[in-house]
Amino acid sequence: MTEVSSPHDHYADASLRALLAGSADGDRTAFAKLYDLTSARIYGLVLRVIRDTYYAEEVVQEAFLQFWQQARLYDPDRGSVMTWMMTIAHRRAIDRVRTEELQRSRIVEAGIAQASITAPLPLEVVIDTEEAREVHACLHDLTALQRSSIEMSYLDGMTYPEVAAATGTPLPTIKSRIRDGLRRLRDCMQECD
């Protein structure tokens, strides 16, 4: 069964192609329109794969950055603009899920429980053994990406730029991830009191 495209589909793809071509030439207005027309579908796809709104938003942001940077690479002979965009976003979402799973397995293998007790987190207060257990429990409430970023920064003593370089993640994303993770960690610790 072949898919029949309507004149509206052809017009929509032609419109997206024109906006992508404008984006390739550095037209920010064209890119903003492209974003407005496609972001809901891209977000929906990514959210179905990742199942976490925070990380879905982050992946969508990264995907749109890639669309902007690689707009010149789009080949209309290989499919519609929307197909090209959805493929890139889907790959990024799958990569994020795999990264999360890899981080989880590394944490389990490293025995993070022993690491938190033998090398207490140098947060803003001195943590005794009971608080260390609470911190350990609260660390497991964080997402794997938040947890690994905080561990690299606070356990391994890496700077935020070093964490960004080690994970291949933009520095602003690392800063947000650590800030949000520390906020969640603080809230969890307050609940334990």
Side-chain angles (χ1 to χ4, degrees):
M1 183 165 144
T2 60
E3 186 177 311
V4 178
S5 62
S6 71
H8 175 73
D9 291 341
H10 178 71
Y11 171 77
D13 190 51
S15 176
L16 293 179
R17 260 186 277 139
L19 292 172
L20 189 62
S23 300
D25 291 334
D27 183 346
R28 292 175 186 266
T29 303
F31 189 71
K33 288 179 185 173
L34 181 69
Y35 177 86
D36 290 342
L37 292 172
T38 60
S39 60
R41 284 188 65 192
I42 299 293
Y43 177 76
L45 169 72
V46 171
L47 184 60
R48 281 192 301 278
V49 173
I50 294 182
R51 297 186 180 142
D52 179 295
T53 56
Y54 176 80
Y55 287 114
E57 290 168 3
E58 194 174 272
V59 168
V60 168
Q61 179 183 3
E62 292 168 0
F64 272 92
L65 178 61
Q66 186 173 348
F67 302 153
W68 173 258
Q69 293 172 335
Q70 296 182 355
R72 292 186 186 281
L73 300 178
Y74 167 70
D75 179 3
D77 294 335
R78 297 186 67 182
S80 71
V81 170
M82 200 65 205
T83 299
W84 179 75
M85 293 174 77
M86 296 284 266
T87 300
I88 289 171
H90 186 259
R91 286 181 186 152
R92 283 194 158 275
I94 295 295
D95 288 347
R96 178 60 60 93
V97 169
R98 287 180 180 153
T99 299
E100 288 274 341
E101 290 171 358
L102 180 62
Q103 291 296 334
R104 268 189 223 110
S105 68
R106 284 182 179 165
I107 288 169
V108 169
E109 289 172 12
I112 193 63
Q114 292 176 349
S116 345
I117 293 171
T118 59
L121 293 174
L123 297 173
E124 297 173 8
V125 295
V126 176
I127 301 174
D128 65 19
T129 305
E130 183 59 34
E131 287 175 324
R133 286 187 197 111
E134 291 172 2
V135 168
H136 175 67
C138 289
L139 276 171
H140 285 286
D141 289 343
L142 302 178
T143 65
L145 288 172
Q146 287 173 332
R147 187 171 46 251
S148 66
S149 297
I150 288 172
E151 288 168 354
M152 282 188 251
S153 181
Y154 288 92
L155 286 177
D156 299 336
M158 297 172 75
T159 64
Y160 287 9
E162 290 171 337
V163 173
T167 60
T169 306
L171 181 58
T173 302
I174 289 297
K175 287 180 179 179
S176 295
R177 187 177 293 158
I178 291 175
R179 181 190 65 238
D180 293 344
L182 289 173
R183 199 174 287 143
R184 286 178 65 181
L185 188 61
R186 181 198 64 213
D187 292 345
C188 178
M189 292 295 294
Q190 287 174 345
E191 290 174 9
C192 291
D193 289 343

